[in-house]
Amino acid sequence: MSDINYIVNDFKVIPRITAVTKKINLVGQTREQLKEKLTLVGVLDKQLNMRIKQIWHWIYFRGVRNFDEMTNLSKSLQQSLAENYSIDVPEIIEKQESSDGTRKYLVRIIGRHEVEVVYIPEEDRGTLCISSQVGCTLTCSFCHTGTQKLVRNLTAGEIIGQVMLVKDDLNEWPKNTDTQEKKPRLLSNIVLMGMGEPLYNFENVRDAMKIAMDPEGISLSRRRITLSTSGVVPEISRTASEIGCLLAVSFHGTTDEIRNNLVPINKRWNISTLIKALREYPKASNSERITFEYVMLKDINDSDADARRLISLIKGIPAKINLIPFNEWPNAPYKRSDKARIKAFSDIIHNAGYASPIRKPRGEDIMAACGQLKSSTQREKKSSAVMKKELGIN
Ligand code: SAH
Ligand code: SF4
């Protein structure tokens, strides 16, 4: 079979670009990339902006997956698009619902890899926790994902695809243009707190979040998206300038000695380097505080002295401290701090003038809580030599 044959659309005769190769997925393409794809199938320059607007609306506002449903495109354009491109999102292979309404999805991406996506409904919002990598290169000792080798980065399409497949499951695509903003959104917030380190897959995460924020599509406010990092210092300022979403930092330890053990990336960028980057984070203000995530581990990082050190470290940074009771997983080397200890820790921080909510564990019965996610793709623990090499430690 020949690679090149010819198709005719409204305007000109052009070569078909993918006769034998797999079709290119339009999900995850930025507007600029979409422009190229449309040019390739012969859309004329003067029609490009209009066509992008129409196709964007169908894919990201209406949730359409077939070109023949895009009724304001000519039949011939629908046909050339269908011959060359696809509109694909990852496939749900398993769905579990917790007694508290939390839904955990196991989804399959190309290469038969799997990632987990969690939807957490609350009274005033519905938060989707999405993954940015299959596994993680980092090896935080309290995190289940950290026991799994990095398999690969997700593409922008696979990242925004997680949002789209959950909108499918919640049946949250408007049937027509009028109905959208009238009822509260079921999926109103995104947190990049699933599997992986988002700042080690910066470009794909950025492109996907830009799509999520685009006002002509899914249209989530940048203030409803939170990116959580373990502390990849060189990429922190780009998060503000190129994405503009809120930032959360997995802090977890108040001395380098403790943090080196819990979050080994601290050996590369230590607490003072991290704090300096956060102080300079351009978006931090009282209305857009940085969230410090702090996992409560019994007798490891939960003393009054830790709470006081934390306060002195973050002095001057508009911050909120999210205390996360440790979510246990099979054979985990830590225990969750007692309730009374967590409360005492929270009170010290609160009395110093910072919000210090204790995160309510959700979806525990289905292992859907933070740090419990793990796919079955790879279960091998990284050797410490490989880990040291990645972190640049001799
Ligand atoms: N890699 C990023 C985002 C994913 S982890 C990061 O580390 O920030 C999302 C949050 O869950 C992080 O704050 C992480 O430290 C926390 N977490 C990981 N394992 C946990 C566990 N077992 N119990 C509670 N929180 C955990
Ligand atoms: Fe990776 Fe975040 Fe887990 Fe650390 S806490 S191993 S950075 S997913």
Side-chain angles (χ1 to χ4, degrees):
M1 186 161 66
S2 146
D3 261 23
I4 301 193
N5 52 22
Y6 290 86
I7 51 176
V8 183
N9 71 8
D10 286 359
F11 323 106
K12 46 184 170 179
V13 177
I14 47 138
R16 177 186 293 172
I17 51 178
T18 51
V20 287
T21 48
K22 199 171 162 2
K23 290 180 185 174
I24 295 170
N25 187 7
L26 292 190
V27 174
Q29 307 277 335
T30 61
R31 280 176 179 266
E32 260 326 288
Q33 291 164 339
L34 195 54
K35 199 179 244 183
E36 281 164 30
K37 305 294 170 308
L38 296 190
T39 307
L40 282 173
V41 293
V43 175
L44 300 174
D45 280 358
K46 62 177 195 272
Q47 297 215 324
L48 271 177
N49 287 341
M50 175 184 72
R51 294 299 183 209
I52 289 172
K53 205 175 163 74
Q54 291 169 325
I55 294 170
W56 196 273
H57 179 87
W58 286 116
I59 300 180
Y60 297 115
F61 186 82
R62 301 287 281 272
V64 155
R65 301 289 150 75
N66 290 307
F67 294 104
D68 57 12
E69 290 173 63
M70 302 186 175
T71 46
N72 51 4
L73 305 186
S74 65
K75 283 268 172 269
S76 59
L77 180 55
Q78 288 176 7
Q79 195 191 338
S80 358
L81 289 169
E83 278 169 0
N84 292 290
Y85 302 126
S86 64
I87 307 170
D88 286 330
V89 299
E91 179 197 1
I92 299 179
I93 50 175
E94 200 183 309
K95 181 173 129 185
Q96 284 174 280
E97 187 153 349
S98 156
S99 51
D100 67 15
T102 301
R103 296 184 191 187
K104 179 164 93 167
Y105 306 86
L106 183 65
V107 304
R108 181 173 291 153
I109 57 170
I110 288 172
R112 299 186 74 77
H113 303 307
E114 293 156 8
V115 287
E116 288 178 331
V117 187
V118 179
Y119 173 71
I120 308 151
E122 287 173 277
E123 246 165 54
D124 59 338
R125 69 183 65 188
T127 303
L128 189 68
C129 178
I130 59 175
S131 295
S132 55
Q133 300 182 309
V134 186
C136 188
T137 40
L138 303 174
T139 49
C140 302
S141 50
F142 55 90
C143 173
H144 207 202
T145 309
T147 64
Q148 183 188 354
K149 228 161 122 176
L150 175 77
V151 178
R152 74 165 167 84
N153 281 336
L154 298 189
T155 62
E158 289 162 346
I159 298 170
I160 194 65
Q162 296 170 58
V163 179
M164 295 165 73
L165 67 87
V166 174
K167 277 173 86 73
D168 291 348
D169 193 50
L170 297 169
N171 200 7
E172 207 187 20
W173 298 106
K175 298 276 172 292
N176 59 58
T177 342
D178 317 324
T179 51
Q180 162 107 104
E181 296 305 331
K182 294 189 180 143
K183 43 183 186 193
R185 287 177 180 232
L186 296 172
L187 197 169
S188 62
N189 293 57
I190 295 177
V191 292
L192 281 145
M193 294 186 186
M195 296 164 64
E197 169 48 62
L199 294 189
Y200 275 152
N201 186 14
F202 188 88
E203 283 78 14
N204 290 331
V205 166
R206 176 197 59 204
D207 292 351
M209 292 306 101
K210 287 278 192 207
I211 293 172
M213 290 187 266
D214 191 293
E216 292 179 8
I218 297 167
S219 177
L220 284 182
S221 150
R222 62 179 187 82
R223 289 200 187 83
R224 289 187 173 270
I225 300 177
T226 304
L227 182 152
S228 174
T229 179
S230 56
V232 183
V233 166
E235 306 294 336
I236 284 180
S237 69
R238 287 179 80 193
T239 308
S241 59
E242 296 182 37
I243 309 177
C245 60
L246 303 186
L247 183 70
V249 176
S250 297
F251 208 64
H252 309 319
T254 58
T255 65
D256 282 327
E257 197 188 351
I258 300 176
R259 197 163 187 271
N260 283 348
N261 278 326
L262 299 178
V263 189
I265 200 176
N266 194 69
K267 295 177 192 165
R268 178 85 179 263
W269 295 290
N270 66 13
I271 292 182
S272 75
T273 315
L274 175 60
I275 290 285
K276 183 167 174 288
L278 297 176
R279 258 182 224 298
E280 289 162 3
Y281 191 69
K283 286 248 172 321
S285 67
N286 275 331
S287 62
E288 290 187 30
R289 291 168 296 176
I290 294 176
T291 300
F292 284 73
E293 296 163 280
Y294 198 94
V295 62
M296 298 299 296
L297 303 168
K298 192 179 171 66
D299 299 330
I300 303 283
N301 63 355
D302 62 352
S303 69
D304 289 356
D306 284 301
R308 293 202 190 89
R309 268 197 300 269
L310 180 58
I311 294 162
S312 73
L313 283 168
I314 64 174
K315 210 173 162 101
I317 302 177
K320 159 176 154 192
I321 292 81
N322 245 348
L323 300 176
I324 319 174
F326 174 57
N327 296 311
E328 298 187 5
W329 37 271
N331 303 322
Y334 301 106
K335 291 265 163 279
R336 177 182 291 183
S337 306
D338 302 333
K339 263 198 170 139
R341 181 83 303 267
I342 301 178
K343 173 81 174 58
F345 195 96
S346 165
D347 286 347
I348 294 175
I349 293 170
H350 187 255
N351 291 339
Y354 294 95
S356 54
I358 301 167
R359 193 180 289 170
K360 212 167 83 198
R362 298 287 306 257
E364 283 191 301
D365 49 343
I366 55 169
M367 286 266 291
C370 252
Q372 290 183 321
L373 306 183
K374 181 162 170 164
S375 82
S376 52
T377 316
Q378 267 281 358
R379 293 189 183 274
E380 209 178 309
K381 178 105 185 155
K382 270 202 161 167
S383 78
S384 64
V386 172
M387 190 179 112
K388 281 182 175 165
K389 194 166 161 233
E390 274 169 12
L391 294 173
I393 305 159
N394 295 317

